[in-house]
Amino acid sequence: MKKLMQLFAAAALIITATGCTDDNNQAASAQQDKKVYTLTMAETWPSNFPIFGDSTKKFAQLANEMSDGRLVINIDSKNKHKSALGIFDFVKSGQYDLGHSGSYYWKGKDINTLFFTSMPFDMTAAEQHAWFEYGGGQELMDKVYAKHGMKSIIGGNTGNQMGGWFQKEINTVEDLQGLKMRIPGFAGEIMAEVGAKPTNIPAGELYTALDRGTIDALEWVGPSLDLRMGFHKVAPYYYTGWHEPGSELQFLINLKAYEALPKDLQTILVTSMKYAAYDMFVHSNDESAKNWASMKKGFPNIKVKTFPKPVFDALKAANKKLLAELAAKDPLSKEIIESRHNYLKDIRAWTNISDQSYLNSLGN
């Protein structure tokens, strides 16, 4: 790990130096500037929250080591700032320099933020990462967040999320009528369209809400985090995913704080975020594999289900309708929707001939 960090640090300095008009002056400036820059970060998660919180700690550690101690990140968890869903406003106002959360939480503040976490029936994690880095996704995200004085960087992917825990089996679309479910983002809009009653509840309140009947169902992540939350104790039906095939968290950066950093530290900051995001993705996959094995062995009464085709058909129809309405209302929404759609069409053709064909050939 230490060697990898050293390589990242060297790469960051090289990128910064070669990207400047006066290479020698910039390199010399980076060497001479020993000032320590301290940034504050607010995260949506409680203190020591697994996987999500691990990624922010790794980011802060990596940024500090790559900068030789010149960049210090102080993290405040939800326990301290008391507002799990206040990260957008914290960073926009400058109360915090950085944030870690999920972009789709801010759809009420700017509808175009919801496109950068995950969209139903859309790209997998690998496909969406390619879109962010090479398909114009980051540029579109920059356009959305610049209006708010912020920059958003990928913050860690959970992979394909499970469809959630339900207290009753879903056999028809009618079973969704009036169903109270914790489900954020565009998927919540879709569920409302088919008659459910979506809501958003912070992580620390989910188990109690499900246990007490405040909600009838919830989606969280998958085995990587669901097992330790204990949802299987109060809801026996575990549905496979459709709504978040590649959920990407985000690092938010206040642009004024970012521009106040020397160029080499700007590069180190973003590089550290992207490495932490990659690490969270593989960490999440590892934990899901181990926890799924534990769930199958320790809790054989969990009933894994997939929505019947008529239910999927209704959800897909609602998705298509709502996307068309969004595109008609806002030119930037239209641009992002078309960008995702066109990129998915091309990259899914490759996914089908590569990953999907390989998995099909195994026959299990």
Side-chain angles (χ1 to χ4, degrees):
M1 181 68 176
K2 186 174 181 180
K3 288 183 178 180
L4 183 60
M5 289 179 176
Q6 291 170 342
L7 287 172
F8 269 119
L13 287 173
I14 291 169
I15 291 169
T16 303
T18 56
C20 296
T21 305
D22 189 339
D23 296 354
N24 293 331
N25 288 344
Q26 185 64 33
S29 176
Q31 292 297 324
Q32 294 170 3
D33 183 6
K34 298 299 182 182
K35 178 181 176 181
V36 175
Y37 294 82
T38 300
L39 303 179
T40 57
M41 182 167 76
E43 59 183 357
T44 287
W45 335 114
S47 58
N48 298 315
F49 193 75
I51 303 180
F52 294 7
D54 294 336
S55 70
T56 57
K57 292 182 180 68
K58 188 172 292 291
F59 152 65
Q61 176 193 4
L62 186 57
N64 186 257
E65 294 189 18
M66 287 173 63
S67 66
D68 194 25
R70 293 165 56 222
L71 193 54
V72 176
I73 314 294
N74 292 328
I75 303 170
D76 283 353
S77 301
K78 186 197 77 169
N79 309 60
K80 183 168 185 178
H81 60 67
K82 306 297 183 184
S83 182
L85 301 180
I87 310 303
F88 183 99
D89 291 333
F90 285 155
V91 179
K92 181 175 180 176
S93 68
Q95 184 175 344
Y96 284 88
D97 304 305
L98 310 170
H100 191 249
S101 193
S103 189
Y104 63 5
Y105 291 145
W106 323 130
K107 66 177 184 178
K109 299 177 182 297
D110 186 330
I111 191 62
N112 291 315
T113 60
L114 75 83
F115 298 110
F116 303 109
T117 302
S118 186
M119 293 296 287
F121 308 111
D122 208 278
M123 289 184 268
T124 65
E127 292 168 339
Q128 186 168 260
H129 277 167
W131 176 69
F132 272 124
E133 298 295 338
Y134 296 99
Q138 180 65 56
E139 289 78 5
L140 287 167
M141 190 158 61
D142 286 345
K143 187 183 293 189
V144 170
Y145 278 93
K147 295 185 299 181
H148 303 284
M150 293 186 284
K151 184 176 183 66
S152 179
I153 300 295
I154 59 171
N157 203 295
T158 64
N160 200 334
Q161 293 197 3
M162 289 292 283
W165 298 90
F166 291 71
Q167 292 180 332
K168 68 176 184 178
E169 190 172 359
I170 304 300
N171 294 308
T172 67
V173 178
E174 286 69 31
D175 290 333
L176 297 175
Q177 305 299 308
L179 184 87
K180 295 173 294 196
M181 183 176 184
R182 182 272 179 192
I183 182 167
F186 200 62
E189 304 290 330
I190 292 172
M191 290 296 278
E193 183 69 19
V194 298
K197 296 181 178 179
T199 186
N200 196 12
I201 300 173
E205 303 169 22
L206 291 175
Y207 179 89
T208 301
L210 188 61
D211 184 37
R212 294 179 178 176
T214 305
I215 54 177
D216 306 307
L218 62 81
E219 67 79 37
W220 182 226
V221 177
S224 62
L225 288 172
D226 290 8
L227 178 60
R228 70 191 79 205
M229 299 286 274
F231 300 137
H232 55 280
K233 299 175 184 177
V234 290
Y237 297 101
Y238 199 22
Y239 276 84
T240 56
W242 60 276
H243 63 305
E244 294 186 37
S247 296
E248 190 70 41
L249 300 181
Q250 69 175 166
F251 285 106
L252 278 174
I253 309 172
N254 179 282
L255 282 176
K256 288 183 179 179
Y258 179 74
E259 290 161 0
L261 294 173
K263 293 293 184 183
D264 66 314
L265 293 190
Q266 291 178 0
T267 303
I268 286 172
L269 185 76
V270 173
T271 302
S272 301
M273 288 173 171
K274 290 189 175 184
Y275 177 81
Y278 160 77
D279 188 76
M280 196 198 106
F281 176 52
V282 294
H283 188 189
S284 182
N285 272 273
D286 177 67
E287 287 294 318
S288 282
K290 290 187 291 191
N291 286 354
W292 178 236
S294 297
M295 289 169 79
K296 287 196 298 182
K297 181 178 179 181
F299 306 98
N301 292 329
I302 294 174
K303 300 174 178 64
V304 178
K305 297 284 183 177
T306 296
F307 287 149
K309 187 176 182 301
V311 174
F312 269 128
D313 288 345
L315 294 171
K316 288 178 179 178
N319 182 56
K320 184 177 181 180
K321 174 179 179 288
L322 292 173
L323 283 175
E325 290 175 355
L326 272 181
K329 289 178 182 177
D330 186 284
L332 184 51
S333 293
K334 185 174 186 290
E335 183 181 1
I336 300 169
I337 290 167
E338 289 181 349
S339 174
R340 290 190 68 101
H341 174 78
N342 293 334
Y343 197 81
L344 174 60
K345 181 175 63 175
D346 291 339
I347 202 166
R348 182 58 54 82
W350 168 241
T351 300
N352 287 341
I353 201 84
S354 56
D355 294 349
Q356 186 66 54
S357 295
Y358 167 70
L359 292 173
N360 289 344
S361 72
L362 299 180
N364 56 26

